[in-house]
Amino acid sequence: MRNLIRTVPSVVLTVSLVLAAGSCRRKKESSAQPVAEEATPTLASTINIADPASAVQFVRGFYAIEAGAWRWTMARFSVVLRPPAAAAKKGATLQFKFNIPETVIARLKPETLNATINGLPLPPQTYTNSGDCLYSRDVPASALTASSVIVDFA
């Protein structure tokens, strides 16, 4: 969106990959032995743009955090996400919550957001109003079989 999407802070405005339907049952642990801690950070299915810990999942296209709360993006930006449990069987929903400032819409109206997951194109969404926005698309299970996915936005 021509360097002009402002991703807004808080839990409400995040990039997330969420399981679309159903739930899975958790198996009971069969032993009480301690589990070794991982040396590298674990990827999350949901990231908050304002959380410095989420920055390890930014692949490209993000500017530094401003006011400890939000970031501008470049025209093209990418994140890496862990597919949620059971997504390889049930699919998932990609949700990107963000904000378009009034000055951007006034100057560039309308704006279209495109996304791909590991190269699989998802339907675009066009935005004509400023304020809080949501891009939400179902993702087929076949696109979520790996331990991580790259989500590219343009």
Side-chain angles (χ1 to χ4, degrees):
M1 294 180 91
R2 294 192 212 118
N3 296 340
L4 297 172
I5 292 178
R6 180 177 72 177
T7 51
V8 180
S10 81
V11 176
V12 176
L13 301 169
T14 63
V15 175
S16 60
L17 191 57
V18 182
L19 188 60
S23 62
C24 60
R25 292 180 180 234
R26 190 175 199 176
K27 291 183 179 180
K28 290 184 179 181
E29 295 294 325
S30 60
S31 71
Q33 295 184 9
V35 177
E37 293 294 320
E38 293 183 58
T40 57
T42 302
L43 294 178
S45 296
T46 301
I47 60 176
N48 182 325
I49 297 300
D51 182 358
S54 293
V56 298
Q57 292 185 236
F58 300 168
V59 175
R60 66 182 170 120
F62 290 89
Y63 290 99
I65 195 163
E66 294 194 28
W70 57 273
R71 297 174 189 268
W72 289 98
T73 66
M74 295 178 187
R76 297 180 184 279
F77 56 102
S78 304
V79 296
V80 60
L81 297 171
R82 176 184 49 82
K89 291 182 180 181
K90 298 181 180 183
T93 299
L94 174 70
Q95 292 187 333
F96 176 43
K97 298 176 184 180
F98 60 100
N99 182 278
I100 301 176
E102 175 62 39
T103 55
V104 171
I105 284 295
R107 193 177 72 169
L108 301 174
K109 185 191 297 191
E111 284 294 303
T112 299
L113 182 65
N114 294 284
T116 64
I117 291 193
N118 285 348
L120 174 71
L122 301 175
Q125 175 73 41
T126 299
Y127 302 90
T128 57
N129 297 314
S130 63
D132 292 342
C133 300
L134 173 65
Y135 177 87
S136 182
R137 295 293 184 262
D138 289 335
V139 180
S142 61
L144 303 170
T145 59
S147 62
S148 66
V149 294
I150 300 289
V151 184
D152 296 303
F153 292 95

